[in-house]
Amino acid sequence: MRRPTNKRLKVIPAFEPNAGLRAEYARKLAKVLAIWTKELRKQALLELSAPPEDRILGDVNFMAYVQSEAWAIKRAEGLDRDDVVVIDAMPPGLALDRWLSPAQRKAVMACARALIKFGFEAKKVSHWFCRKMLYRTSADMVRTLERAHVSKAIIRQKWQVPLIKGQFISKQTAQQLPEQIKWMTELITKLSAASTKKVQDELADALQNGHSYTKLRNRLMTLEHMDEARAERVARDQGCKLNQFIQQENARALGITQAKWIHVPGMYSSRPTHVQMHGQIFDLNKGMRDDSPEVGGAYVLPGQLPFCRCICQMVLTDELME
């Protein structure tokens, strides 16, 4: 690690993601997660009183059946490929008409439509959050740069991609935005696997122990709180990552090559190595070496690791100060 330099450096204040925007994203995200969990809950309650030959939720190939049906619906209705969530490839030879009863096929079709809607809404909310973060973070960054006496003309010269009237971002930031949206969407869709397993386990337990409809329904209702808690964690993590991605890419476009690491403590997110990094000047194109067992000596940037809330202060170059 590099020690703090004695040279007086001009830095711009670091800022964390907008808390109100993150909270709004968490609410929207919880609603997206509920699309899938509500359909699973409905199917579980139906299967509690169904004969064994009509149950499908606990089948080892349940998600493969659902994905196969989702692809069939997509092809028939001309939906975008990206709007279908893919978790696993369907094993060869699983023909729905051949292996499933009418009741099972009906359940699979309902879940397939829920999966398609879930994937579509996940992509939609990811795009919304990225755009909102882009507006807020870039605008905040412009204000901090201007307060540091960096001319608006220089910023406008380096940030050439228009967002809204009078607001621009760097070309590098704009080019990488689709990948950020894709990454966020994939993370959201992976959460569906946890919901699926939870419902499958609850249904299996209810069938084995003879639980009533009411008891199973009450236990499945806890999924709502589970969705809300996961949405809050994901919103916090993705908000930090997006905030730092936008600031760092915009800074690189301005020719900024150094930054000061600012550790932001959290109940579950503080890492001892990041506490030691606090106040250190590092190469913005490289990051800082993290010798923790989690990373194993790799170089990382603020906000890069899971649930890392660290941010950085950009060190202004002489050219920007002229």
Side-chain angles (χ1 to χ4, degrees), residues 4-272:
T5 177
N6 292 324
K7 178 184 176 182
R8 292 182 63 85
L9 300 172
K10 179 69 174 179
V11 299
I12 59 174
F15 53 89
E16 296 184 71
N18 182 276
L21 178 58
R22 188 191 69 221
E24 187 177 356
Y25 175 53
R27 288 191 293 271
K28 287 178 178 288
L29 185 53
K31 290 181 179 179
V32 172
L33 294 174
I35 294 170
W36 180 239
T37 54
K38 282 182 178 179
E39 186 59 43
L40 287 176
R41 189 167 64 220
K42 173 186 170 184
Q43 293 303 325
L45 292 171
L46 287 173
E47 290 194 11
L48 184 62
S49 58
E53 62 271 18
D54 285 341
R55 295 173 189 154
I56 188 65
L57 201 57
D59 192 297
V60 67
N61 291 315
F62 168 68
M63 282 309 301
Y65 287 130
V66 171
Q67 288 156 9
S68 177
E69 186 64 25
W71 284 119
I73 293 171
K74 178 196 73 69
R75 287 192 298 268
E77 299 183 1
L79 297 175
D80 180 24
R81 175 179 179 141
D82 291 338
D83 292 339
V84 179
V85 181
V86 178
I87 300 173
D88 296 302
M90 181 176 176
L94 288 183
L96 269 63
D97 290 326
R98 179 181 176 185
W99 295 104
L100 303 184
S101 70
Q104 289 174 323
R105 178 68 186 273
K106 183 179 179 180
V108 166
M109 288 180 67
C111 289
R113 289 196 176 277
L115 191 67
I116 291 171
K117 184 178 181 182
F118 171 65
F120 175 79
E121 293 297 330
K123 183 178 179 181
K124 183 178 175 183
V125 75
S126 297
H127 187 273
W128 172 86
F129 188 51
C130 277
R131 297 293 294 182
K132 286 286 187 178
M133 281 290 293
L134 205 54
Y135 300 148
R136 295 282 185 91
T137 305
S138 295
D140 288 343
M141 199 170 180
V142 168
R143 283 191 288 269
T144 58
L145 286 166
E146 289 180 340
R147 291 193 195 106
H149 307 294
V150 176
S151 74
K152 203 164 189 175
I154 292 178
I155 300 172
R156 179 65 185 84
Q157 181 185 3
K158 302 293 185 179
W159 298 358
Q160 300 179 347
V161 179
L163 278 178
I164 54 178
K165 186 176 180 181
Q167 191 172 338
F168 298 82
I169 58 172
S170 70
K171 184 178 179 181
Q172 297 96 311
T173 306
Q175 286 176 336
Q176 293 188 50
L177 188 59
E179 279 301 311
Q180 290 293 315
I181 295 173
K182 182 181 178 183
W183 162 74
M184 290 177 63
T185 304
E186 288 175 350
L187 179 59
I188 294 170
T189 55
K190 285 179 182 177
L191 296 176
S192 64
S195 298
T196 304
K197 188 176 187 311
K198 173 70 173 174
V199 173
Q200 288 173 328
D201 290 346
E202 290 291 355
L203 177 59
D205 183 60
L207 289 169
Q208 183 177 351
N209 296 294
H211 292 167
S212 66
Y213 178 96
T214 301
K215 185 170 184 177
L216 177 59
R217 182 191 62 192
N218 291 340
R219 292 181 69 167
L220 291 175
M221 286 301 291
T222 61
L223 281 170
E224 264 186 51
H225 303 296
M226 183 175 160
D227 283 345
E228 291 170 1
R230 286 187 299 172
E232 172 58 33
R233 290 195 298 271
V234 169
R236 184 179 296 277
D237 185 44
Q238 291 186 336
C240 290
K241 283 177 170 52
L242 271 176
N243 170 272
Q244 285 304 293
F245 157 74
I246 295 166
Q247 289 192 62
Q248 291 166 17
E249 287 301 327
N250 279 342
R252 291 185 187 102
L254 291 171
I256 294 174
T257 59
Q258 289 185 312
K260 179 188 287 188
W261 192 291
I262 303 297
H263 173 255
V264 179
M267 186 179 296
Y268 304 109
S269 59
S270 291
R271 291 173 169 86

